[in-house]
Amino acid sequence: MFNLSKLTTKLPSLILTTSLLILPLTACNGGKTTNGNTTGENSQTTNSRLEIVKQRGNLICGVNGEVPGFSFVDEKGQYSGLDVDVCRAIAAALFGDATKVEYRKLSAQERFSAVQSGEVDVLSRNTTWTLSRDTANGMEFAPTVFYDGQGLMVTKASGVSNIEGLAGKSICVLAGTTTEQNLADQMRKRGVKNYNPVVSDDVDTLYAAYQEGRCEGVTADRSQLVARRSILPKPDDHVILDVVLSKEPLGPAVKNGDSAWFDAVKWITFALFEGEELGITSQNVDKFETSEDPNVRRFLGLDDKLGEGMGLPNNFATSIIKQVGNYGEIYDRNIGKPLGLERGPNKLWTDGGLLYSPPFR
């Protein structure tokens, strides 16, 4: 039973003990206050990966490295693609130098543990935002940079024209992905039985198995199928079926529980969309620096201190646009022109797409 007299007797010592516990914590924060309030936002930033990255002087970015248009490393060791440009945008915002990125090529199985352990600062690796990854896996997903859907590619020689035609056949699929789960769900839903999933651990192995004829079809994000078909020996011998098996919103992700770092990555990504919406490109950004439009002036860091408020230079968006370009430029450079993929849902909301940035104010 609750004993009030004992509590009253012990109350002074409890207050003293609590005070002793609180004092060192206050000392750790330097006891800084603003208008009588503890500067919680500053201490949050100080303890964030944002400060770790800034002090290190470069960004460590986890990528795929095997998907043309998104992240691909050539024979000279040069990385390119939309996901790579997201890494470059973060570096441009943080350091004013888009080249200050160290890339880590990660498999689907390695990617989340690499974020959790701190091996990489951010994951920009065609990773689908799902509920369980956002919660149970402890990730935070920044804005989606590519709205995709899962597809199926088959050889023309197979004669397969729809998903039901893959009954009793083998399908190559990447292990540890939503793709593997979606395939099983769709086959069960459509009553397609006796198919044989041939599982691979990385993208190169996956398409090698397909080329070797170990499976009649291969399933992956439709953008990836288009990209990998473009580098097959005879691209015209392969058909991407007219079917979309799932929603695949792809975007950068960071470790959960670090608001300062998450905010920085999130708003750097939004800056790519906002730059395009304002019509600011890598070619004309200098002309906008004399603009009287308050939205433009805040975006470029000419007025207010939006950058400083989250631990970035005020002109972080200017650095991104000058060195990497806005989202439209990035899309055209990596996907639109080389792969011929129309933007579809990856247009700005003002053009009927899904890309939307909250206000920069």
Side-chain angles (χ1 to χ4, degrees):
M1 180 179 292
F2 186 78
N3 191 326
L4 181 60
S5 62
K6 284 186 178 180
L7 177 62
T8 305
T9 303
K10 292 181 178 180
L11 193 56
S13 61
L14 281 171
I15 293 173
L16 176 61
T17 303
T18 304
S19 300
L20 291 172
L21 286 171
I22 290 173
L23 280 172
L25 295 175
T26 304
C28 288
N29 285 337
K32 295 178 181 178
T33 60
T34 302
N35 297 327
N37 296 320
T38 302
T39 52
E41 291 185 3
N42 287 345
S43 68
Q44 185 183 60
T45 303
T46 303
N47 296 324
S48 169
R49 179 156 290 271
L50 175 61
E51 284 307 311
I52 294 173
V53 175
K54 286 161 65 176
Q55 290 175 15
R56 187 198 302 131
N58 73 329
L59 176 77
I60 302 177
C61 201
V63 298
N64 185 313
E66 297 177 348
V67 183
F70 289 84
S71 64
F72 191 75
V73 56
D74 63 20
E75 62 278 2
K76 296 179 180 177
Q78 299 297 312
Y79 284 82
S80 64
L82 184 149
D83 291 339
V84 168
D85 278 346
V86 170
C87 304
R88 297 176 65 236
I90 298 171
L94 290 170
F95 309 114
D97 186 346
T99 68
K100 291 191 172 182
V101 185
E102 178 182 335
Y103 299 101
R104 295 280 172 82
K105 192 175 167 182
L106 300 171
S107 69
Q109 293 75 27
E110 295 168 334
R111 54 186 165 174
F112 298 127
S113 59
V115 177
Q116 296 291 357
S117 67
E119 179 186 345
V120 299
D121 302 313
V122 61
L123 185 68
S124 185
R125 187 200 176 283
N126 56 309
T127 297
T128 303
W129 181 1
T130 71
L131 185 153
S132 58
R133 288 172 175 175
D134 206 356
T135 55
N137 282 14
M139 307 292 289
E140 290 280 18
F141 284 82
T144 297
V145 295
F146 194 87
Y147 289 93
D148 210 339
Q150 184 175 338
L152 278 161
M153 181 166 68
V154 297
T155 60
K156 279 186 179 177
S158 71
V160 174
S161 59
N162 55 41
I163 190 169
E164 286 77 12
L166 287 164
K169 300 187 184 306
S170 296
I171 304 172
C172 288
V173 61
L174 201 60
T177 61
T178 54
T179 307
E180 185 180 14
Q181 299 163 359
N182 293 334
L183 178 65
D185 287 350
Q186 285 290 333
M187 290 306 200
R188 184 169 62 246
K189 177 181 175 183
R190 295 167 186 256
V192 181
K193 300 179 180 178
N194 301 323
Y195 78 97
N196 175 37
V198 178
V199 179
S200 299
D201 289 332
D202 61 74
V203 175
D204 282 344
T205 306
L206 175 75
Y207 290 94
Y210 174 68
Q211 283 185 260
E212 291 164 1
R214 293 174 55 199
C215 44
E216 285 84 1
V218 57
T219 185
D221 292 346
R222 288 176 65 83
S223 61
Q224 184 185 127
L225 294 175
V226 171
R228 292 297 302 211
R229 182 175 64 173
S230 70
I231 58 174
L232 290 174
K234 296 181 179 179
D236 292 340
D237 287 352
H238 306 272
V239 179
I240 297 174
L241 299 182
D242 186 21
V243 60
V244 179
L245 304 182
S246 66
K247 294 183 289 186
E248 304 291 334
L250 312 176
V254 298
K255 184 179 179 180
N256 197 14
D258 187 343
S259 294
W261 181 228
F262 178 50
D263 283 346
V265 173
K266 180 171 57 181
W267 282 96
I268 289 167
T269 308
F270 279 137
L272 300 173
F273 307 158
E274 185 75 359
E276 183 179 13
E277 186 174 335
L278 292 171
I280 305 174
T281 71
S282 57
Q283 301 302 308
N284 66 18
V285 60
D286 289 337
K287 295 179 181 176
F288 279 87
E289 293 187 350
T290 56
S291 172
E292 294 299 323
D293 184 333
N295 290 321
V296 170
R297 296 188 65 79
R298 278 193 295 271
F299 178 69
L300 296 179
L302 301 171
D303 291 340
D304 294 343
K305 295 184 178 179
L306 297 177
E308 286 184 18
M310 59 177 168
L312 299 178
N314 274 331
N315 66 343
F316 75 97
T318 304
S319 298
I320 294 170
I321 301 300
K322 277 188 177 180
Q323 298 183 42
V324 187
N326 66 36
Y327 181 86
E329 292 179 279
I330 292 171
Y331 189 96
D332 289 344
R333 179 169 65 236
N334 296 299
I335 299 173
K337 292 179 180 176
L339 300 180
L341 272 178
E342 295 184 359
R343 284 181 64 170
N346 297 296
K347 294 178 181 175
L348 294 178
W349 69 285
T350 49
D351 297 327
L354 298 175
L355 300 189
Y356 181 101
S357 169
F360 275 64
R361 66 162 57 245

